[in-house]
Amino acid sequence: MIAAVQFRNFKALRSTGVKLAPFNLVLGPNGSGKTSLIQALLRLRSLAGLAPATEPPAGGGGPRIDFAFAAPFQDIGVSLGCSPDELVCNVLSVSRPPGPAGEALWEELRLRLRTIRAYLFDHYAMAVPAKPADAPELASNGGNLAAVLAHWQEHEPAAYAALGAEFCRLMPEFAGLVLRPGPGGTVELCARLQANGHECITAADFSQGTLYQLAILVLAFAPAPPAVVCLEEADRGMHPRSFRELRDTLYRLSYPRDEGMDRAPVQVITTTHSPYLLDQFREHPEEVILASKQGTAATFERLSDRADILELMKEAHLGDLWYSGILGGVPGE
């Protein structure tokens, strides 16, 4: 949905842009703009709910973020103007086709932008029993995971059954998910063990990676997912041998037709520091964005834009090429 983002004097992103695909894996050293990209999208979501300014953001050297969009919104441009200290971006400017048709197109896009979501999962919060009223949308930290699953069990049984089956396939030690009453009117999540179907392990005893993988499955199997999903470190807590399954789960969001689903694709932007996860994208370098930092200035580069990438991949794995510094996007020495 979002085709490109251009930054000017926003945090470390002094003069750079990035083209976005349906799926985007962003990697680079700390302070190279990965989180700033997600923050820009969240600010776009917030300001999309307000009336646009009558004048575009002021020129000069002030911070500014420009957004371009894919069809059918390719004729709409959105700019965010920020305060000089870069702490507040509160001026929204929209260019669109004139007349009622342009207004209707912007209204449709605006509603989609309002569904942008970002997640940084907290396994401690996810393991706590949740109140059913906290459903049905997954919280940004995943803290209402049990409530969302309980809501699905009652109101979206097909999605709940499909998620449960996939969870057990990925985690064969479990025979199924169980939701039971918890203290104070909450609902508690647990899972039955395959070896002993009568024993139920509570979410508090799940591994960190198990909770994260379950939360990502909730996003992937959601009947009505957001238009854009941003994930900070989607691979946290997971063994590298599970990264192919992680990639395929996220692909379910971006490429629903490949899974036989009739819904709009979800644009995914996820960050990582893992060369092992990068290795899973050898066949799709167009989905990889390298963030680099020289001094105080950060830049983005799509891996497929490198003229030498195909030759380099003949010599080594992508993860090795990145880790060694050949591709850039590593901490300065």
Side-chain angles (χ1 to χ4, degrees):
M1 184 179 73
I2 301 174
V5 187
Q6 187 72 33
F7 296 92
R8 185 187 69 188
N9 294 332
F10 180 71
K11 300 183 182 294
L13 302 170
R14 295 302 172 188
S15 179
T16 190
V18 59
K19 295 179 181 178
L20 296 178
F23 185 94
N24 305 270
L25 180 72
V26 188
L27 65 163
N30 294 332
S32 60
K34 302 186 301 297
T35 298
S36 295
L37 171 60
I38 293 176
Q39 290 173 344
L41 297 180
L42 291 178
R43 195 58 186 161
L44 174 64
R45 178 193 69 185
S46 298
L47 292 180
L50 305 177
T54 56
E55 298 292 335
R64 176 169 168 164
I65 309 169
D66 296 316
F67 297 88
F69 303 93
F73 308 110
Q74 69 272 20
D75 294 328
I76 295 179
V78 173
S79 298
L80 302 185
C82 310
S83 61
D85 58 12
E86 306 171 15
L87 296 178
V88 180
C89 297
N90 56 5
V91 178
L92 173 74
S93 175
V94 179
S95 63
R96 58 180 182 264
E103 292 181 8
L105 198 62
W106 162 241
E107 179 64 17
E108 181 182 351
L109 175 59
R110 185 183 70 83
L111 292 176
R112 294 195 188 185
L113 294 176
R114 293 288 292 159
T115 72
I116 294 173
R117 296 292 183 268
Y119 301 92
L120 178 59
F121 295 130
D122 178 349
H123 60 285
Y124 292 110
M126 296 164 70
V128 176
K131 292 185 177 181
D134 293 337
E137 184 177 350
L138 189 65
S140 60
N141 69 348
N144 63 340
L145 178 63
V148 171
L149 290 172
H151 177 85
W152 284 21
Q153 187 180 47
E154 181 177 357
H155 300 285
E156 302 286 353
Y160 179 78
L163 179 147
E166 182 67 2
F167 175 75
C168 292
R169 186 186 73 82
L170 296 174
M171 302 286 181
E173 65 268 33
F174 295 118
L177 295 172
V178 176
L179 295 158
R180 61 192 185 188
T186 61
V187 59
E188 183 180 48
L189 170 66
C190 66
R192 287 184 289 107
L193 290 176
Q194 188 69 255
N196 181 354
H198 299 291
E199 185 177 358
C200 200
I201 303 299
T202 65
D205 292 321
F206 285 7
S207 71
Q208 177 181 345
T210 298
L211 283 168
Y212 292 160
Q213 194 153 30
L214 183 54
I216 290 173
L217 285 173
V218 167
L219 296 177
F221 282 82
V228 180
V229 166
C230 304
L231 281 166
E232 291 267 21
E233 305 291 342
D235 53 303
R236 281 190 309 148
M238 298 186 191
H239 193 280
R241 292 192 67 173
S242 69
F243 285 173
R244 181 178 295 275
E245 298 287 2
L246 170 63
R247 181 203 64 186
D248 291 346
T249 299
L250 294 174
Y251 273 178
R252 183 182 178 91
L253 283 166
S254 295
Y255 308 110
R257 291 186 179 180
D258 293 347
E259 299 292 332
M261 294 182 291
D262 184 20
R263 63 158 174 78
V266 175
Q267 191 166 37
V268 174
I269 300 165
T270 182
T271 65
T272 187
H273 287 107
S274 172
Y276 301 107
L277 183 57
L278 176 58
D279 278 336
Q280 303 304 318
F281 295 85
R282 181 180 181 86
E283 302 300 323
H284 298 283
E286 73 281 0
E287 295 178 337
V288 178
I289 298 169
L290 290 175
S292 301
K293 190 173 184 180
Q294 295 291 331
T296 60
T299 58
F300 293 121
E301 179 187 32
R302 187 162 290 281
L303 195 57
S304 57
D305 290 341
R306 291 184 60 116
D308 60 350
I309 188 59
L310 296 180
E311 289 299 318
L312 288 173
M313 288 195 298
K314 293 178 182 178
E315 304 297 328
H317 293 292
L318 270 181
D320 291 335
L321 292 170
W322 176 56
Y323 184 82
S324 66
I326 294 174
L327 296 179
V330 295
E333 297 182 355

